[in-house]
Amino acid sequence: MKYVLIVVLISCCTYIGFGVSRYYKNRKDFFSDLVMLLDKLRLDINFSKEKIGDIISNFSPLSNHFNKLRNNFLSILDTNKFDKEVLIEGINILKDDEISCLISFFKSLGRFDIENQTRQIVSFKEEFQKFESECNQKKQKYGSLFIKLGFIIGVLISLLIV
Amino acid sequence: MLEKILPDKIYNVINNKINYGQLNEIRLRSNQPIIVYLGGQPYFLSEKGITGNIDNAFIATKQQIEDIIFSASGCSIYSVNEQIKKGYIMIEGGIRIGLCGNVIMENGNIITQKDWTSLNIRIPHKIKDCSLPIFDILVNDNKLKNTLIISPPGSGKTTFIRDFICQLSNKNMCVNTLVLDERGEIFGMGNMPLGKFADVISFSDKKNGFMQGIRAMSPQLIVTDELGDEEDVKALKFASNSGVCVMATIHASSFENLKQKTGFDELIKNKYFSRYVFLSSRQGPGTLEGVYNENLSRITTY
Protein backbone atom coordinates (compact mmCIF):
# COMPACT_ATOMS: atom_id res chain seq x y z
CA MET A 1 0.00 0.00 0.00
CA LYS A 2 2.86 2.32 0.96
CA TYR A 3 4.61 1.80 -2.37
CA VAL A 4 1.41 2.31 -4.29
CA LEU A 5 0.90 5.64 -2.52
CA ILE A 6 4.48 6.70 -3.35
CA VAL A 7 4.01 5.81 -7.01
CA VAL A 8 0.67 7.69 -7.16
CA LEU A 9 2.13 10.76 -5.47
CA ILE A 10 5.19 10.90 -7.70
CA SER A 11 3.06 10.29 -10.79
CA CYS A 12 0.62 13.06 -9.87
CA CYS A 13 3.34 15.61 -9.20
CA THR A 14 5.22 14.65 -12.34
CA TYR A 15 1.98 14.93 -14.31
CA ILE A 16 1.39 18.44 -12.94
CA GLY A 17 4.95 19.33 -13.93
CA PHE A 18 4.32 17.82 -17.34
CA GLY A 19 1.14 19.92 -17.67
CA VAL A 20 3.03 23.13 -16.89
CA SER A 21 5.82 22.25 -19.31
CA ARG A 22 3.20 21.42 -21.94
CA TYR A 23 1.89 24.98 -21.65
CA TYR A 24 5.27 26.25 -22.89
CA LYS A 25 5.36 23.65 -25.66
CA ASN A 26 1.83 24.57 -26.79
CA ARG A 27 2.70 28.25 -26.94
CA LYS A 28 5.81 27.53 -28.96
CA ASP A 29 3.88 25.25 -31.37
CA PHE A 30 1.13 27.83 -31.70
CA PHE A 31 3.49 30.56 -32.83
CA SER A 32 5.48 28.19 -35.05
CA ASP A 33 2.23 27.32 -36.85
CA LEU A 34 1.31 30.97 -37.08
CA VAL A 35 4.64 31.89 -38.66
CA MET A 36 4.28 28.97 -41.07
CA LEU A 37 0.79 30.13 -42.02
CA LEU A 38 2.10 33.64 -42.69
CA ASP A 39 4.73 32.20 -45.03
CA LYS A 40 2.06 30.20 -46.82
CA LEU A 41 -0.20 33.23 -47.08
CA ARG A 42 2.60 35.34 -48.53
CA LEU A 43 3.51 32.73 -51.12
CA ASP A 44 -0.02 31.74 -52.14
CA ILE A 45 -1.25 35.31 -52.36
CA ASN A 46 1.68 36.33 -54.54
CA PHE A 47 1.72 33.23 -56.69
CA SER A 48 -1.92 32.35 -57.29
CA LYS A 49 -3.92 35.17 -55.68
CA GLU A 50 -5.90 32.48 -53.88
CA LYS A 51 -8.56 33.70 -51.50
CA ILE A 52 -7.80 33.89 -47.79
CA GLY A 53 -10.43 31.27 -46.89
CA ASP A 54 -9.00 28.75 -49.38
CA ILE A 55 -5.43 29.27 -48.21
CA ILE A 56 -6.30 28.92 -44.56
CA SER A 57 -8.57 25.93 -44.99
CA ASN A 58 -5.77 24.15 -46.88
CA PHE A 59 -3.32 24.75 -44.04
CA SER A 60 -2.85 21.85 -41.63
CA PRO A 61 -1.50 23.07 -38.31
CA LEU A 62 0.37 20.88 -35.86
CA SER A 63 -0.90 22.67 -32.80
CA ASN A 64 -4.42 21.98 -31.50
CA HIS A 65 -4.75 25.54 -30.25
CA PHE A 66 -3.81 26.89 -33.63
CA ASN A 67 -6.30 24.54 -35.23
CA LYS A 68 -8.97 26.12 -33.03
CA LEU A 69 -7.89 29.58 -34.15
CA ARG A 70 -7.96 28.45 -37.78
CA ASN A 71 -11.49 27.05 -37.43
CA ASN A 72 -12.66 30.15 -35.57
CA PHE A 73 -11.34 32.40 -38.33
CA LEU A 74 -12.91 30.27 -41.05
CA SER A 75 -16.27 30.55 -39.31
CA ILE A 76 -15.80 34.34 -39.15
CA LEU A 77 -15.13 34.37 -42.90
CA ASP A 78 -18.31 32.35 -43.43
CA THR A 79 -20.46 34.84 -41.59
CA ASN A 80 -18.51 37.91 -42.76
CA LYS A 81 -18.73 39.35 -39.27
CA PHE A 82 -15.44 39.89 -37.48
CA ASP A 83 -15.76 39.16 -33.78
CA LYS A 84 -12.60 39.08 -31.66
CA GLU A 85 -14.28 36.94 -29.01
CA VAL A 86 -15.11 34.32 -31.61
CA LEU A 87 -11.57 34.45 -32.99
CA ILE A 88 -9.88 33.49 -29.74
CA GLU A 89 -12.63 31.25 -28.39
CA GLY A 90 -11.19 28.12 -26.72
CA ILE A 91 -7.59 29.41 -26.82
CA ASN A 92 -6.24 29.99 -23.32
CA ILE A 93 -2.49 29.96 -23.79
CA LEU A 94 -2.02 33.51 -25.06
CA LYS A 95 -1.15 36.72 -23.24
CA ASP A 96 -3.03 39.98 -23.75
CA ASP A 97 -0.45 41.64 -26.00
CA GLU A 98 -0.28 38.50 -28.15
CA ILE A 99 -4.06 38.39 -28.45
CA SER A 100 -4.29 42.02 -29.49
CA CYS A 101 -1.56 41.51 -32.11
CA LEU A 102 -3.37 38.43 -33.40
CA ILE A 103 -6.67 40.31 -33.61
CA SER A 104 -5.07 43.23 -35.49
CA PHE A 105 -3.59 40.82 -37.97
CA PHE A 106 -6.70 38.78 -38.72
CA LYS A 107 -8.95 41.84 -38.74
CA SER A 108 -6.94 43.49 -41.49
CA LEU A 109 -6.22 40.34 -43.49
CA GLY A 110 -7.54 40.45 -47.04
CA ARG A 111 -8.22 44.18 -47.10
CA PHE A 112 -5.30 45.30 -49.29
CA ASP A 113 -3.89 44.92 -52.77
CA ILE A 114 -1.14 42.31 -53.20
CA GLU A 115 1.77 44.61 -52.53
CA ASN A 116 0.37 46.04 -49.33
CA GLN A 117 -1.04 42.69 -48.22
CA THR A 118 2.44 41.21 -48.54
CA ARG A 119 3.96 44.08 -46.58
CA GLN A 120 1.36 43.62 -43.86
CA ILE A 121 2.10 39.89 -43.63
CA VAL A 122 5.85 40.47 -43.49
CA SER A 123 5.54 43.08 -40.78
CA PHE A 124 3.25 40.89 -38.64
CA LYS A 125 5.54 37.93 -39.24
CA GLU A 126 8.36 39.85 -37.57
CA GLU A 127 6.14 40.46 -34.56
CA PHE A 128 5.03 36.85 -34.34
CA GLN A 129 8.59 35.61 -34.75
CA LYS A 130 9.53 37.61 -31.66
CA PHE A 131 6.76 35.84 -29.75
CA GLU A 132 7.90 32.52 -31.18
CA SER A 133 11.54 32.94 -30.18
CA GLU A 134 10.49 34.14 -26.72
CA CYS A 135 8.28 31.05 -26.36
CA ASN A 136 11.08 28.84 -27.63
CA GLN A 137 13.50 30.22 -25.06
CA LYS A 138 10.98 29.72 -22.27
CA LYS A 139 10.19 26.23 -23.48
CA GLN A 140 13.88 25.30 -23.41
CA LYS A 141 14.35 26.96 -20.05
CA TYR A 142 11.25 25.72 -18.22
CA GLY A 143 9.99 22.84 -20.37
CA SER A 144 11.94 19.94 -18.88
CA LEU A 145 12.54 21.84 -15.63
CA PHE A 146 8.90 21.57 -14.54
CA ILE A 147 8.78 17.84 -15.26
CA LYS A 148 11.90 17.32 -13.14
CA LEU A 149 10.58 19.69 -10.49
CA GLY A 150 7.27 17.80 -10.39
CA PHE A 151 9.12 14.54 -9.97
CA ILE A 152 11.35 15.89 -7.20
CA ILE A 153 8.42 17.45 -5.34
CA GLY A 154 6.58 14.13 -5.64
CA VAL A 155 9.57 12.32 -4.15
CA LEU A 156 9.90 14.89 -1.35
CA ILE A 157 6.21 14.73 -0.41
CA SER A 158 6.42 10.93 -0.47
CA LEU A 159 9.39 10.99 1.88
CA LEU A 160 7.63 13.40 4.23
CA ILE A 161 4.37 11.49 4.28
CA VAL A 162 5.79 7.98 4.30
CA MET B 1 -25.13 34.73 -53.90
CA LEU B 2 -26.70 38.01 -52.77
CA GLU B 3 -27.23 36.54 -49.30
CA LYS B 4 -23.45 36.28 -48.91
CA ILE B 5 -22.78 39.93 -49.66
CA LEU B 6 -25.79 42.00 -48.63
CA PRO B 7 -26.56 42.99 -45.03
CA ASP B 8 -29.26 40.69 -43.59
CA LYS B 9 -31.79 43.52 -43.34
CA ILE B 10 -31.54 44.39 -47.03
CA TYR B 11 -31.29 40.81 -48.23
CA ASN B 12 -34.41 39.74 -46.30
CA VAL B 13 -36.49 42.45 -47.98
CA ILE B 14 -35.13 41.61 -51.43
CA ASN B 15 -35.65 37.91 -50.87
CA ASN B 16 -39.14 38.09 -49.35
CA LYS B 17 -40.81 41.22 -50.66
CA ILE B 18 -39.48 41.72 -54.17
CA ASN B 19 -39.95 39.77 -57.36
CA TYR B 20 -36.34 38.67 -57.93
CA GLY B 21 -37.08 37.80 -61.56
CA GLN B 22 -37.77 41.49 -62.21
CA LEU B 23 -34.79 42.82 -60.27
CA ASN B 24 -32.17 44.46 -62.52
CA GLU B 25 -30.08 46.59 -60.20
CA ILE B 26 -29.50 47.54 -56.58
CA ARG B 27 -27.81 50.90 -56.09
CA LEU B 28 -26.23 51.97 -52.83
CA ARG B 29 -24.84 55.45 -52.31
CA SER B 30 -23.28 56.52 -49.06
CA ASN B 31 -25.91 58.21 -46.80
CA GLN B 32 -28.51 58.09 -49.57
CA PRO B 33 -31.63 55.95 -50.00
CA ILE B 34 -31.12 52.51 -51.52
CA ILE B 35 -32.66 52.25 -54.98
CA VAL B 36 -33.67 49.06 -56.77
CA TYR B 37 -34.55 48.77 -60.45
CA LEU B 38 -37.41 46.40 -61.18
CA GLY B 39 -38.24 45.81 -64.83
CA GLY B 40 -36.08 48.82 -65.65
CA GLN B 41 -37.99 51.15 -63.28
CA PRO B 42 -36.40 52.70 -60.16
CA TYR B 43 -37.94 52.37 -56.67
CA PHE B 44 -36.74 53.09 -53.16
CA LEU B 45 -36.15 50.04 -51.00
CA SER B 46 -37.84 50.05 -47.59
CA GLU B 47 -38.58 47.56 -44.84
CA LYS B 48 -41.90 46.74 -46.54
CA GLY B 49 -40.41 46.23 -50.00
CA ILE B 50 -40.39 48.86 -52.72
CA THR B 51 -41.79 52.31 -52.06
CA GLY B 52 -42.11 55.68 -53.72
CA ASN B 53 -41.81 57.41 -50.36
CA ILE B 54 -38.22 58.46 -49.72
CA ASP B 55 -38.89 58.87 -45.98
CA ASN B 56 -39.40 55.11 -45.57
CA ALA B 57 -36.39 54.13 -47.66
CA PHE B 58 -33.36 52.32 -46.24
CA ILE B 59 -30.35 54.61 -46.11
CA ALA B 60 -27.06 53.05 -47.21
CA THR B 61 -24.01 53.65 -45.05
CA LYS B 62 -20.39 53.86 -46.09
CA GLN B 63 -19.66 50.89 -43.82
CA GLN B 64 -22.30 48.79 -45.59
CA ILE B 65 -20.74 49.63 -48.95
CA GLU B 66 -17.27 48.69 -47.71
CA ASP B 67 -18.60 45.44 -46.18
CA ILE B 68 -20.40 44.44 -49.38
CA ILE B 69 -17.23 44.97 -51.41
CA PHE B 70 -15.10 43.04 -48.91
CA SER B 71 -17.58 40.15 -48.90
CA ALA B 72 -17.83 40.19 -52.68
CA SER B 73 -14.07 39.83 -52.88
CA GLY B 74 -14.26 36.63 -50.81
CA CYS B 75 -12.62 38.60 -47.96
CA SER B 76 -9.57 38.95 -50.23
CA ILE B 77 -9.46 42.35 -51.91
CA TYR B 78 -6.07 41.57 -53.53
CA SER B 79 -7.64 38.68 -55.46
CA VAL B 80 -9.98 41.02 -57.32
CA ASN B 81 -7.76 44.08 -57.52
CA GLU B 82 -7.42 43.81 -61.30
CA GLN B 83 -11.20 44.06 -61.51
CA ILE B 84 -11.32 46.85 -58.93
CA LYS B 85 -8.88 48.83 -61.09
CA LYS B 86 -11.45 48.60 -63.89
CA GLY B 87 -14.22 49.66 -61.54
CA TYR B 88 -16.13 46.48 -60.84
CA ILE B 89 -16.14 43.11 -59.09
CA MET B 90 -17.73 40.02 -60.60
CA ILE B 91 -19.25 37.46 -58.28
CA GLU B 92 -20.91 34.09 -58.77
CA GLY B 93 -23.99 34.05 -60.95
CA GLY B 94 -22.60 36.73 -63.28
CA ILE B 95 -23.55 39.47 -60.83
CA ARG B 96 -21.46 42.56 -61.51
CA ILE B 97 -20.83 45.09 -58.77
CA GLY B 98 -19.86 48.48 -60.20
CA LEU B 99 -17.73 50.57 -57.84
CA CYS B 100 -17.19 54.27 -57.28
CA GLY B 101 -14.61 55.68 -54.91
CA ASN B 102 -11.18 57.22 -54.81
CA VAL B 103 -8.99 56.02 -57.64
CA ILE B 104 -5.34 55.65 -56.61
CA MET B 105 -2.91 56.38 -59.42
CA GLU B 106 0.83 55.94 -59.76
CA ASN B 107 2.83 57.03 -62.80
CA GLY B 108 -0.39 57.55 -64.72
CA ASN B 109 -1.69 54.04 -64.03
CA ILE B 110 -4.57 53.08 -61.78
CA ILE B 111 -3.23 50.86 -59.01
CA THR B 112 -6.43 50.45 -57.02
CA GLN B 113 -9.60 52.08 -55.75
CA LYS B 114 -10.56 52.71 -52.15
CA ASP B 115 -12.92 54.72 -49.93
CA TRP B 116 -15.87 53.55 -51.94
CA THR B 117 -18.97 55.72 -51.80
CA SER B 118 -21.30 54.09 -54.32
CA LEU B 119 -21.97 50.73 -55.79
CA ASN B 120 -24.31 49.26 -58.34
CA ILE B 121 -25.18 45.58 -58.13
CA ARG B 122 -26.37 44.37 -61.52
CA ILE B 123 -28.37 41.16 -61.58
CA PRO B 124 -28.27 39.24 -64.87
CA HIS B 125 -31.36 37.46 -66.12
CA LYS B 126 -32.07 35.10 -68.91
CA ILE B 127 -34.70 36.34 -71.31
CA LYS B 128 -35.46 33.10 -73.06
CA ASP B 129 -35.52 33.30 -76.86
CA CYS B 130 -34.98 37.07 -76.89
CA SER B 131 -32.70 36.75 -79.92
CA LEU B 132 -35.01 34.35 -81.73
CA PRO B 133 -37.14 36.93 -83.61
CA ILE B 134 -34.09 38.10 -85.56
CA PHE B 135 -32.00 34.94 -85.48
CA ASP B 136 -32.56 34.25 -89.18
CA ILE B 137 -31.46 37.76 -90.05
CA LEU B 138 -28.17 37.27 -88.25
CA VAL B 139 -27.60 33.75 -89.55
CA ASN B 140 -28.42 33.27 -93.21
CA ASP B 141 -28.21 29.81 -94.77
CA ASN B 142 -26.04 28.70 -91.87
CA LYS B 143 -23.70 31.60 -92.59
CA LEU B 144 -22.96 33.95 -89.73
CA LYS B 145 -22.79 37.68 -90.20
CA ASN B 146 -20.57 40.11 -88.35
CA THR B 147 -23.02 41.71 -85.97
CA LEU B 148 -22.89 44.68 -83.63
CA ILE B 149 -25.45 44.93 -80.86
CA ILE B 150 -26.00 48.57 -79.92
CA SER B 151 -27.83 50.07 -76.97
CA PRO B 152 -27.41 52.33 -73.95
CA PRO B 153 -26.25 50.62 -70.73
CA GLY B 154 -28.70 48.27 -69.04
CA SER B 155 -30.73 47.47 -72.16
CA GLY B 156 -30.02 43.75 -72.42
CA LYS B 157 -27.04 43.51 -74.79
CA THR B 158 -25.31 40.80 -72.77
CA THR B 159 -28.59 38.92 -72.32
CA PHE B 160 -29.12 39.06 -76.08
CA ILE B 161 -25.71 37.66 -77.04
CA ARG B 162 -25.95 34.99 -74.35
CA ASP B 163 -29.29 33.88 -75.76
CA PHE B 164 -27.92 33.96 -79.31
CA ILE B 165 -25.12 31.56 -78.35
CA CYS B 166 -27.68 29.25 -76.72
CA GLN B 167 -29.86 29.39 -79.85
CA LEU B 168 -26.94 28.15 -81.96
CA SER B 169 -26.71 25.22 -79.58
CA ASN B 170 -30.49 24.64 -79.46
CA LYS B 171 -30.61 24.54 -83.25
CA ASN B 172 -27.64 22.16 -83.30
CA MET B 173 -25.69 24.52 -85.51
CA CYS B 174 -22.21 23.27 -84.84
CA VAL B 175 -20.50 26.66 -84.86
CA ASN B 176 -17.31 26.73 -82.82
CA THR B 177 -17.96 29.82 -80.79
CA LEU B 178 -15.30 31.56 -78.76
CA VAL B 179 -16.80 33.69 -76.02
CA LEU B 180 -14.39 36.37 -74.92
CA ASP B 181 -15.91 37.27 -71.59
CA GLU B 182 -13.78 40.20 -70.52
CA ARG B 183 -15.87 41.02 -67.45
CA GLY B 184 -17.19 37.55 -66.68
CA GLU B 185 -20.78 38.64 -67.33
CA ILE B 186 -21.66 36.45 -70.33
CA PHE B 187 -20.66 33.13 -68.79
CA GLY B 188 -21.38 34.30 -65.24
CA MET B 189 -18.28 32.48 -63.97
CA GLY B 190 -19.83 29.19 -65.06
CA ASN B 191 -23.33 29.92 -63.84
CA MET B 192 -24.78 30.86 -67.23
CA PRO B 193 -24.66 27.80 -69.50
CA LEU B 194 -23.82 28.65 -73.11
CA GLY B 195 -24.66 25.41 -74.84
CA LYS B 196 -22.69 22.78 -76.67
CA PHE B 197 -20.43 24.74 -78.98
CA ALA B 198 -19.05 27.57 -76.86
CA ASP B 199 -15.50 27.92 -75.50
CA VAL B 200 -15.00 30.68 -72.96
CA ILE B 201 -12.01 32.87 -72.19
CA SER B 202 -12.77 34.95 -69.11
CA PHE B 203 -11.19 38.13 -67.76
CA SER B 204 -8.83 38.66 -70.69
CA ASP B 205 -8.63 41.91 -72.60
CA LYS B 206 -9.78 41.75 -76.20
CA LYS B 207 -6.37 42.11 -77.82
CA ASN B 208 -4.86 39.13 -76.01
CA GLY B 209 -8.10 37.16 -75.88
CA PHE B 210 -8.69 37.39 -79.63
CA MET B 211 -5.10 36.38 -80.43
CA GLN B 212 -4.95 33.57 -77.91
CA GLY B 213 -8.46 32.33 -78.73
CA ILE B 214 -8.02 32.30 -82.51
CA ARG B 215 -4.70 30.48 -82.28
CA ALA B 216 -5.76 28.02 -79.65
CA MET B 217 -9.37 27.24 -80.52
CA SER B 218 -9.79 28.06 -84.24
CA PRO B 219 -13.26 29.50 -83.72
CA GLN B 220 -15.76 30.27 -86.47
CA LEU B 221 -17.44 32.94 -84.36
CA ILE B 222 -16.15 35.20 -81.60
CA VAL B 223 -18.70 36.74 -79.28
CA THR B 224 -17.62 39.55 -77.00
CA ASP B 225 -19.10 42.27 -74.86
CA GLU B 226 -18.68 46.04 -74.68
CA LEU B 227 -16.25 47.20 -77.34
CA GLY B 228 -14.60 50.41 -76.30
CA ASP B 229 -11.27 51.76 -77.39
CA GLU B 230 -8.95 51.62 -80.37
CA GLU B 231 -7.33 48.41 -79.12
CA ASP B 232 -10.71 46.67 -79.39
CA VAL B 233 -11.09 47.88 -82.99
CA LYS B 234 -7.64 46.45 -83.76
CA ALA B 235 -8.71 43.14 -82.22
CA LEU B 236 -11.79 43.13 -84.49
CA LYS B 237 -9.60 43.69 -87.55
CA PHE B 238 -7.31 40.89 -86.44
CA ALA B 239 -10.32 38.55 -86.23
CA SER B 240 -11.53 39.69 -89.63
CA ASN B 241 -8.10 39.06 -91.19
CA SER B 242 -8.19 35.60 -89.65
CA GLY B 243 -11.54 34.85 -91.28
CA VAL B 244 -13.47 34.71 -88.03
CA CYS B 245 -16.97 36.19 -87.65
CA VAL B 246 -17.62 38.50 -84.75
CA MET B 247 -20.66 39.37 -82.69
CA ALA B 248 -20.01 42.21 -80.30
CA THR B 249 -21.87 44.79 -78.25
CA ILE B 250 -21.28 48.48 -77.73
CA HIS B 251 -22.77 51.32 -75.73
CA ALA B 252 -24.39 53.80 -78.09
CA SER B 253 -27.84 55.12 -78.83
CA SER B 254 -27.63 55.85 -82.57
CA PHE B 255 -25.38 55.55 -85.62
CA GLU B 256 -24.29 59.17 -85.12
CA ASN B 257 -23.30 58.30 -81.61
CA LEU B 258 -21.48 55.18 -82.83
CA LYS B 259 -19.55 57.04 -85.55
CA GLN B 260 -18.10 59.36 -82.91
CA LYS B 261 -16.33 56.46 -81.22
CA THR B 262 -12.68 56.05 -82.20
CA GLY B 263 -12.27 53.68 -85.14
CA PHE B 264 -15.95 52.93 -85.66
CA ASP B 265 -16.51 55.43 -88.44
CA GLU B 266 -13.95 53.49 -90.46
CA LEU B 267 -15.52 50.12 -89.55
CA ILE B 268 -18.91 51.39 -90.72
CA LYS B 269 -17.49 52.82 -93.97
CA ASN B 270 -15.63 49.61 -94.68
CA LYS B 271 -18.82 47.64 -93.99
CA TYR B 272 -17.10 45.50 -91.39
CA PHE B 273 -20.42 44.70 -89.74
CA SER B 274 -23.22 43.25 -91.87
CA ARG B 275 -25.83 43.62 -89.17
CA TYR B 276 -26.52 46.28 -86.55
CA VAL B 277 -29.07 45.43 -83.88
CA PHE B 278 -30.48 48.26 -81.77
CA LEU B 279 -31.89 47.40 -78.34
CA SER B 280 -33.51 49.56 -75.69
CA SER B 281 -35.27 49.15 -72.36
CA ARG B 282 -38.45 50.87 -73.63
CA GLN B 283 -40.58 47.82 -72.82
CA GLY B 284 -38.09 46.36 -70.37
CA PRO B 285 -34.45 45.40 -71.04
CA GLY B 286 -33.94 43.62 -74.34
CA THR B 287 -36.57 45.51 -76.37
CA LEU B 288 -35.67 45.17 -80.06
CA GLU B 289 -35.76 48.55 -81.77
CA GLY B 290 -34.49 47.64 -85.23
CA VAL B 291 -32.00 45.73 -87.32
CA TYR B 292 -29.87 47.42 -90.00
CA ASN B 293 -27.64 46.06 -92.74
CA GLU B 294 -24.13 47.07 -93.75
CA ASN B 295 -25.53 50.03 -95.74
CA LEU B 296 -27.27 51.20 -92.58
CA SER B 297 -30.65 50.50 -94.16
CA ARG B 298 -33.32 49.26 -91.86
CA ILE B 299 -34.15 45.60 -92.42
CA THR B 300 -36.83 45.25 -89.85
CA THR B 301 -38.74 47.41 -87.38
CA TYR B 302 -40.20 46.49 -83.99
Side-chain angles (χ1 to χ4, degrees), chain A residues 50-52 80-81 110 112, chain B residues 4 70 73 76-79:
Chain A
E50 258 189 275
K51 300 207 186 268
I52 296 288
N80 282 328
K81 281 171 193 148
F112 305 98
Chain B
K4 288 188 184 167
F70 186 59
S73 74
S76 311
I77 290 289
Y78 60 83
S79 69

Side-chain angles (χ1 to χ4, degrees), chain A residues 45 49-53 55 77 80-81 109-114 117, chain B residues 4 8 67 70-71 73-82 111-112:
Chain A
I45 286 172
K49 293 186 191 174
E50 258 189 275
K51 300 207 186 268
I52 296 288
I55 300 172
L77 289 182
N80 282 328
K81 281 171 193 148
L109 195 56
R111 293 188 180 268
F112 305 98
D113 60 5
I114 287 194
Q117 187 64 75
Chain B
K4 288 188 184 167
D8 294 344
D67 287 347
F70 186 59
S71 306
S73 74
C75 305
S76 311
I77 290 289
Y78 60 83
S79 69
V80 291
N81 197 47
E82 287 306 311
I111 55 167
T112 194

Side-chain angles (χ1 to χ4, degrees), chain B residues 30-60:
Chain B
S30 180
N31 301 320
Q32 298 297 329
I34 297 174
I35 296 171
V36 292
Y37 279 75
L38 290 173
Q41 296 301 311
Y43 301 93
F44 296 120
L45 188 73
S46 74
E47 213 160 333
K48 290 177 181 164
I50 54 171
T51 176
N53 185 353
I54 194 166
D55 296 332
N56 297 333
F58 285 140
I59 303 295

Side-chain angles (χ1 to χ4, degrees), chain B residues 129-242:
Chain B
D129 298 337
C130 65
S131 68
L132 207 51
I134 58 166
F135 186 85
D136 292 336
I137 301 172
L138 308 182
V139 184
N140 226 341
D141 294 332
N142 280 352
K143 279 189 178 170
L144 300 157
K145 293 182 182 298
N146 284 343
T147 303
L148 188 62
I149 317 295
I150 305 160
S151 84
S155 300
K157 293 183 292 298
T158 308
T159 309
F160 181 92
I161 56 174
R162 195 187 295 126
D163 185 69
F164 180 82
I165 301 164
C166 291
Q167 293 301 339
L168 290 173
S169 173
N170 294 347
K171 290 174 188 292
N172 280 320
M173 289 180 65
C174 186
V175 177
N176 292 321
T177 306
L178 176 74
V179 181
L180 182 56
D181 197 5
E182 193 173 353
R183 294 168 182 81
E185 280 185 298
I186 307 173
F187 193 41
M189 294 159 93
N191 289 290
M192 299 283 186
L194 295 174
K196 301 184 278 284
F197 311 118
D199 309 301
V200 184
I201 295 179
S202 297
F203 302 114
S204 164
D205 60 59
K206 294 195 177 59
K207 187 183 162 194
N208 290 313
F210 271 52
M211 275 196 205
Q212 187 194 333
I214 289 172
R215 284 177 189 152
M217 302 307 292
S218 307
Q220 293 158 283
L221 169 69
I222 295 182
V223 180
T224 191
D225 216 359
E226 294 186 16
L227 296 176
D229 55 18
E230 218 165 339
E231 286 296 314
D232 295 353
V233 175
K234 281 182 192 166
L236 288 180
K237 287 178 182 168
F238 176 75
S240 173
N241 293 336
S242 309

